Amino acid sequence: MVSLDLDAGWRLHPQVSVRPEPFGALLYHFGTRKLSFLKDRTLLAVVTSLDEAATAREACTAAGVPDADLPRYAQALGTLVASSMVVERQR
């Protein structure tokens, strides 16, 4: 399982396009040509707010993710990091 540091700053990779869908969203990375599906609209809210939030934890809180679900969202975001859809912001 891949997880990420919820207390770090993250953002969508600049080459990633987000297309909202009724089920969640499609993410397409123009550099790697990878496609990812977000099957959760809350996860979509987290991902699209990563750049404005100081940390991934803040993005999750703003999207209404309960504390008990944070490990699941950290794992989902970690999967997006592993596929280069999400990258850590430079400090």
Side-chain angles (χ1 to χ4, degrees), residues 42 60-61 64-73:
T42 302
C60 288
T61 300
V65 175
D67 288 344
D69 290 341
L70 284 175
R72 184 168 60 91
Y73 281 83

Side-chain angles (χ1 to χ4, degrees), residues 34-72:
K34 289 183 183 178
L35 183 65
S36 291
F37 295 88
L38 301 184
K39 299 177 186 173
D40 179 331
R41 296 198 55 78
T42 302
L43 181 57
L44 172 60
V46 171
V47 167
T48 56
S49 68
L50 284 173
D51 204 32
E52 293 104 37
T55 65
R57 185 180 307 275
E58 284 185 19
C60 288
T61 300
V65 175
D67 288 344
D69 290 341
L70 284 175
R72 184 168 60 91

Side-chain angles (χ1 to χ4, degrees), residues 2-10 50 56 73-79 81 86:
V2 178
S3 191
L4 87 158
D5 180 3
L6 287 173
D7 296 312
W10 299 89
L50 284 173
Y73 281 83
Q75 181 182 350
L77 290 170
T79 300
V81 169
V86 170

Side-chain angles (χ1 to χ4, degrees), residues 12-18 26-36 80-81 83-87:
L12 278 172
H13 189 285
Q15 291 184 314
V16 171
S17 174
V18 178
L26 296 172
L27 302 181
Y28 181 75
H29 194 301
F30 286 94
T32 63
R33 299 176 59 147
K34 289 183 183 178
L35 183 65
S36 291
L80 293 173
V81 169
S83 64
S84 300
M85 297 289 179
V86 170
V87 293

